[in-house]
Each structure stands twice: as structure tokens, then as C-alpha cells.
Amino acid sequence: MRGPDSGTICQPGRGASCALCCGSHNYRAGRDEMDALFRARRRAFPATVPSPLPMVIDDGIQCPYVGFIDEADSIIGCLLYFDESSASGDHRAFMARTCRVFSCMARETLSPDEVRFAAALMGDWLHYGLLINDIALLRDLMRRFALPAHVTSEEREAVRERLSRAAFSPKMC
Ligand code: SF4
Ligand code: SF4
């Protein structure tokens, strides 16, 4: 079983995590509804909990294995990869079909310092995943602020709102 703070760009620590490429943000819903779904999936695993929530992008993914992978229900990730010992033959067949081909511009592009800055600044699953995938915005912030701690709370909130507005419609948080 992997730890929820793996030190990778997907779970870099500081409370940040991302499962964007698996559809963690493809819900036309509020934060509370998404949190409730990801909580329910952790508790139900290895059974799946299908999404009752509509998609933002109709032909996008909403993988039923995206859920919280920690006891505190704060770190998002793949329940199957997190606990591979629970993966059955059906699970492995699903993964072979679904997870084989994907790319992540953030993973290919960002430096460890950029990942650490985004994790420290956002510190959650919702906005961290969006910020690392808005590379121009992240680099602009790093040009203007030497350290995440230098970013004012007003600026941080403005960044969160901007990211949410761009990702979700209607505005969700
Ligand atoms: S979008 Fe990139 S950083 Fe996010 S979970 Fe996928 S591979 Fe990881
Ligand atoms: S099973 Fe594949 S697509 Fe689904 S959450 Fe895990 S890695 Fe992502």
C-alpha cells in the first residue's frame, strides 16, 4: 500500500494532492458534494460508488476509483493504486483499459521547486491540481513572490477563485 504523502507531483505533501487526469474535477457540483463522493468511495472500496453528479466535460473521464486515500479524507488519489493488494482481476483489467495512456503536462514540465511552491500555496486537492495545470499562472506567482508565505491571503483567494471559475461552470466555490 502506498502512503498518501508519496512525495510525487500527484501527492507532494503539505496537504496537496491531484487526480485531475482521472477526472477528479469533472463534476458539475459544489465542493461539499465532491468531498462526500470521494469519502463514500474510500469507505466502499473495493466496491465502487458511481457518480450521481453530472460531468463538466461530457466525454471526459469520471473514474469511479478516484477517492480520498487517507484517514482524514483530505488527500485524493487512485484507490486501486493506493491499495493494490485489494485489486482483483477485474480491477486489473479495468486499469489496463483505462489507465494505460495519459499524459500530464505538469509532470513533464514543472520543477520540484514549482511543485513545492504550488503545494504550499494551495494545500488542498481542489486548487492544487488546478494550479499545477495552469503553468503560466504558477510561474507568474513565483516571479512575483519569492516564497508561498509571501503571497497575501487576498491574493491566494483570488487565485483559488480564478482557478475554480476556469474549471467549473457554474461557479462552485
Ligand atoms: S494530472 Fe498530473 S499531477 Fe495530477 S494526478 Fe494526473 S499525473 Fe498526477
Ligand atoms: S483506475 Fe486509472 S483512471 Fe481510475 S483513478 Fe486509478 S489511475 Fe486513475
Side-chain angles (χ1 to χ4, degrees), residues 62-84:
Q62 268 187 351
C63 182
Y65 293 109
V66 171
F68 289 128
I69 57 173
D70 64 326
E71 291 289 324
D73 290 326
S74 65
I75 303 296
I76 204 168
C78 172
L79 290 160
L80 277 180
Y81 277 101
F82 179 58
D83 187 0
E84 286 172 279

Side-chain angles (χ1 to χ4, degrees), residues 9-10 18-22 102 104 106-107 132-133:
I9 187 173
C10 311
C18 178
L20 200 72
C21 57
C22 305
F102 75 96
C104 172
R107 195 169 65 173
I132 58 171
N133 283 283

Side-chain angles (χ1 to χ4, degrees), residues 38-53:
F38 299 149
R39 265 197 305 274
R41 285 186 177 154
R42 186 172 80 77
R43 282 154 185 68
F45 185 78
T48 53
V49 177
S51 167
L53 307 170

